[in-house]
Amino acid sequence: MSPDREFITGLPKAELHLHLEGTLEPELKLELARRNGVDIGQTSIDQIRDSYHFVDLTSFLAVYYPAMQVLVTEQDFHDLAIAYLRRAAADGIVHTEMFFDPQAHTDRGIPFATVIDGLWSAVQEAPALGVDASLIMCFLRDLSAESAMATLEASLPYKDRIIGVGLDSDERDNPPEKFTEVFARARQAGYRLTMHCDIDQPDSIDHIETVIHRIGVSRIDHGTNLVEDPALVEEVRDRGIGLTCCPMSNSFVTVGHTPTMKGEEIVQLLRAGVKVSLASDDPAYFGGYLVDNFVGLVERMDLSREEVIQLARNSLEISWLDAGRRTRLLDRLEDYVAR
Ligand code: HPA
Ligand code: ZN
């Protein structure tokens, strides 16, 4: 029998692929637009929702980035993160590693300090909400490597507030090797490394190979196309490289808007022993938070109770928590399962 929503909600789990800017719900978007006197072209929740027509990654990003102009002050960034952290706690998330895109803000004149100070004050309040939280800084891959390097340098005074770096935005014509030097420098500075390998990109397998062999990531965001290369599947499994898969997002950004969630591929990788975890990516845009993603996949793929538990266990195991904290959270998971 497949586990139900209540069991999944109570399961202690980590969320490791979550773009804070993608948690901007229409309600908060309108409130911030009013607060900051920004004309976003829409004045009601319905109008905003009606503008969400995504057929692939590019068309999603075309709606996603312009919306960020409502984020102006330190308070705005704080409010955005706190709203997500409350939602995360309600979903039984005990630890979250949240992406943010500094260049999407600094490029429109918002100081790096405004972004990081606002987000960091929310991170500090997270334990009181029942969640551990940390920040991963993503570079926009459709901007230049020089811009990414300058952003990396700007982040160094705040190094103790950022656990790692990632790479997001439009993958087409922006392969991982474009950022080899930036990621080498980030590693030197003590950051952990992850990168997006988005769904069904023109050179998905090449990109996955590059991020493993040349960049040296410890996780891959999405990366589901790995399934096409059995030798690479074995390598990823043997090296314990984690995958952060996002079922509801997959349904939106795959060409032609397929409702399959890439469920077959995700489950095949899980059953092959790859450390697959689930995440919600941009929940305000893709229709659901983490528990919704679990429930969606369970219903579609008829996952067993043990498989659902393994997805949660993987999320803690591939997290960037320190070893002591990770062990305590894994113990909590095993206690919950035993009860
Ligand atoms: N892929 C690339 N860029 C993104 C994503 C994603 O899933 N979400 C937000 N920016
Ligand atoms: Zn993503």
Side-chain angles (χ1 to χ4, degrees):
M1 201 184 71
S2 286
D4 61 14
R5 177 175 283 270
E6 190 187 342
F7 175 80
I8 292 168
T9 303
L11 202 52
K13 52 198 167 301
E15 174 148 72
L16 308 175
H17 183 164
L18 181 281
H19 301 264
L20 277 168
E21 293 90 345
T23 68
L24 180 59
E25 290 286 351
E27 289 78 4
L28 184 59
K29 198 186 276 186
L30 274 187
E31 185 187 326
L32 295 180
R34 279 192 210 109
R35 193 194 282 179
N36 294 315
V38 176
D39 180 4
I40 55 169
Q42 296 122 1
T43 53
S44 74
I45 308 291
D46 286 345
Q47 279 177 0
I48 291 177
R49 288 201 200 281
D50 284 348
S51 71
Y52 292 176
H53 297 296
F54 319 125
V55 292
D56 55 18
L57 180 60
T58 310
S59 59
F60 160 65
L61 295 173
V63 171
Y64 178 67
Y65 286 115
M68 293 180 199
Q69 60 182 317
V70 302
L71 293 161
V72 179
T73 67
E74 194 179 313
Q75 185 71 44
D76 300 340
F77 288 95
H78 170 272
D79 293 353
L80 175 73
I82 281 291
Y84 162 68
L85 288 166
R86 290 214 173 91
R87 196 65 191 64
D91 264 6
I93 294 171
V94 292
H95 173 66
T96 177
E97 298 176 6
M98 311 176 294
F99 293 136
F100 71 110
D101 284 347
Q103 291 155 294
H105 312 300
T106 54
D107 273 19
R108 51 189 181 86
I110 310 293
F112 191 98
T114 300
V115 180
I116 192 80
D117 286 344
L119 298 179
W120 183 246
S121 65
V123 165
Q124 288 176 302
E125 290 172 33
L129 300 171
V131 198
D132 267 333
S134 40
L135 293 169
I136 301 174
M137 175 173 72
C138 279
F139 305 111
L140 302 188
R141 66 198 307 162
D142 45 350
L143 301 185
S144 68
E146 291 71 31
S147 172
M149 193 64 100
T151 303
L152 178 63
E153 297 298 336
S155 77
L156 294 179
Y158 305 98
K159 217 170 67 176
D160 55 340
R161 300 180 179 184
I162 300 169
I163 40 166
V165 297
L167 188 68
D168 64 7
S169 198
D170 206 342
E171 187 164 333
R172 187 179 290 265
D173 301 324
N174 297 297
E177 58 265 29
K178 177 175 166 185
F179 298 93
T180 304
E181 279 173 35
V182 175
F183 274 67
R185 173 89 181 93
R187 179 199 299 283
Q188 234 179 31
Y191 289 126
R192 313 244 195 178
L193 311 184
T194 186
M195 274 190 178
H196 276 60
C197 290
D198 274 286
I199 304 294
D200 294 346
Q201 294 294 306
D203 303 299
S204 277
I205 288 292
D206 279 356
H207 290 188
I208 292 170
E209 228 168 350
T210 304
V211 303
I212 295 170
H213 295 143
R214 193 152 154 196
I215 310 293
V217 296
S218 58
R219 291 203 303 247
I220 302 174
D221 301 306
H222 299 297
T224 318
N225 290 78
L226 171 66
V227 78
E228 296 159 22
D229 187 329
L232 211 50
V233 171
E234 281 184 27
E235 184 179 355
V236 166
R237 180 199 59 206
D238 294 346
R239 291 173 57 173
I241 295 171
L243 253 55
T244 61
C245 298
C246 308
M248 296 178 82
S249 162
N250 291 349
S251 281
F252 275 94
V253 299
T254 43
V255 176
H257 202 131
T258 49
T260 67
M261 300 183 160
K262 294 283 170 186
E264 304 275 355
E265 292 84 345
I266 292 171
V267 172
Q268 194 178 325
L269 290 166
L270 175 70
R271 290 179 183 159
V274 174
K275 293 222 174 291
V276 173
S277 66
L278 297 188
S280 65
D281 207 5
D282 302 284
Y285 292 90
F286 298 144
Y289 285 78
L290 185 55
V291 168
D292 303 314
N293 275 270
F294 267 86
V295 169
L297 190 69
V298 164
E299 283 175 354
R300 173 165 294 280
M301 297 306 302
D302 201 21
L303 289 185
S304 69
R305 182 176 186 274
E306 192 42 54
E307 286 169 333
V308 167
I309 294 165
Q310 190 60 41
L311 286 166
R313 195 181 281 127
N314 287 346
S315 71
L316 293 168
E317 284 180 351
I318 66 174
S319 75
W320 292 338
L321 280 163
D322 65 69
R325 182 79 187 136
R326 182 168 46 236
T327 302
R328 282 195 294 282
L329 291 177
L330 280 164
D331 287 347
R332 243 172 91 180
L333 168 69
E334 303 308 337
D335 283 351
Y336 176 81
V337 168
R339 269 190 276 117

